[in-house]
Amino acid sequence: MAFELKNVVPWGRNLDEYKSMFNLTDAELNKKIISFGDGPASFNYSMFKFNKSVISIDPIYGFSVDELKRKIKETKDIVINQTRNNAENFVWTKIKNIQELETIRLSAMNLFLQDFESGKREGRYINHEMPDKTNFADSTFDLGLSSHFLILYAQLGLDFHLSAMTEMLRVAKEIRIFPILDLDAHKPALLAHLVEHFGKNFKVEIQRVDYEFQKNGNEMLRIKRK
Ligand SMILES: C[S@@+](CC[C@H](N)C(=O)[O-])C[C@H]1O[C@@H](n2cnc3c(N)ncnc32)[C@H](O)[C@@H]1O
């Protein structure tokens, strides 16, 4: 089935947020990174400006910049209203209020939109839908990231997660997933299955991070080769 833009929530975070969600050190920022479900985040753009290497993977990169602008505009009102109506489920310390949330997210997504066409030509934004196999050779990347895609969208199911993460661990020596809560801010049942499954052949850790916007959403899943 074709990936349809109407089913997607394009909503993007920035480099500082990626650094704290994934505990990224300066040395790690110099590694070869691939980011799955990277959407309209400004992570790729900002890393590129600092001469760092990031490839972003997402099926929304098959759409034109105008289609993405339109969809981001529609999504913004829905997400901002939902967050306002559920404000008690979020931690308002780093991001102080709804206005600030809107400003931070829109400025990240505007940087993405400005960068998208040139980044796509340069091969930094790749239109690809997980869990399909990517074209990369084994171990091409040091680090594979998933921010607000896997586990958050637990409804994608266990088989989807197993296939997607197996592919991520084929192309990257280590993967990190944040958050490990679903959209209702609960740890989904599939998390324990993933820890058990990948624990057989990989080193699996749940690590505390210095980022918490969803209440109790301050942990990432880290899986690396033994
Ligand atoms: C909430 S956004 C998060 C964007 C970005 N990672 C961030 O944290 O700012 C979720 C992203 O997952 C992407 N996504 C959904 N299904 C996907 C799939 N099957 N393969 C890859 N990405 C997918 C969506 O297109 C969307 O851009």
Side-chain angles (χ1 to χ4, degrees):
M1 198 172 69
F3 193 86
E4 292 195 43
L5 199 53
K6 69 177 162 47
N7 300 327
V8 183
V9 181
W11 199 232
R13 291 162 190 80
N14 62 33
L15 172 60
D16 282 342
E17 293 181 289
Y18 270 63
K19 281 190 204 168
S20 48
M21 289 187 290
F22 296 113
N23 269 348
L24 293 170
T25 61
D26 287 349
E28 286 170 343
L29 291 171
N30 287 321
K31 293 186 167 191
K32 264 193 104 178
I33 299 177
I34 180 164
S35 187
F36 298 88
D38 212 35
S42 59
F43 176 60
N44 190 315
Y45 164 82
S46 300
M47 289 285 280
F48 179 66
K49 289 282 153 207
F50 289 122
N51 285 318
K52 316 274 186 203
S53 162
V54 176
I55 302 276
S56 298
I57 299 283
D58 201 298
I60 66 163
Y61 303 151
F63 296 95
S64 71
V65 78
D66 287 336
E67 286 170 315
L68 291 172
K69 271 185 193 160
R70 208 173 319 120
K71 183 68 189 173
I72 287 171
K73 207 166 164 216
E74 280 167 29
T75 302
K76 186 207 79 171
D77 292 332
I78 298 167
V79 177
I80 289 293
N81 283 333
Q82 281 175 354
T83 312
R84 186 181 288 112
N85 294 338
N86 295 288
E88 70 282 2
N89 296 336
F90 297 92
V91 176
W92 299 99
T93 45
K94 285 215 172 109
I95 298 174
K96 299 273 179 300
N97 52 46
I98 293 275
Q99 288 68 35
E100 199 176 307
L101 176 70
E102 183 172 332
T103 307
I104 292 172
R105 292 284 171 272
L106 288 183
S107 66
M109 291 190 280
N110 282 331
L111 291 175
F112 159 80
L113 288 168
Q114 285 165 35
D115 184 47
F116 177 59
E117 282 176 338
S118 55
K120 195 169 170 183
R121 277 195 303 275
E122 290 158 9
R124 288 187 286 114
Y125 296 108
I126 297 180
N127 169 21
H128 179 85
E129 187 171 355
M130 298 301 285
D132 292 351
K133 199 164 182 278
T134 63
N135 288 330
F136 296 107
D138 296 359
S139 307
T140 301
F141 300 93
D142 299 304
L143 202 50
L145 305 176
S146 157
S147 157
H148 295 84
F149 162 42
L150 293 173
I151 301 184
L152 181 70
Y153 296 153
Q155 71 270 21
L156 290 168
L158 181 61
D159 287 348
F160 180 100
H161 279 76
L162 291 172
S163 310
M165 289 164 68
T166 300
E167 172 62 7
M168 288 161 72
L169 283 160
R170 182 185 70 77
V171 298
K173 295 171 196 150
E174 175 180 340
I175 64 170
R176 298 183 189 178
I177 299 177
F178 179 91
I180 57 169
L181 301 180
D182 61 20
L183 289 166
D184 294 324
H186 298 122
K187 278 194 177 146
L190 58 72
L191 178 61
H193 293 290
L194 296 174
V195 169
E196 201 237 301
H197 176 88
F198 289 103
K200 290 177 198 148
N201 295 308
F202 295 89
K203 187 172 174 225
V204 178
E205 271 179 277
I206 290 180
Q207 226 177 52
R208 184 84 182 257
V209 300
D210 180 31
Y211 182 96
E212 184 179 1
F213 184 50
Q214 237 184 342
K215 250 183 207 164
N216 301 318
N218 57 359
E219 291 176 307
M220 71 160 157
L221 179 65
R222 194 169 169 184
I223 306 181
K224 58 181 167 186
R225 298 190 185 157
K226 282 184 177 161

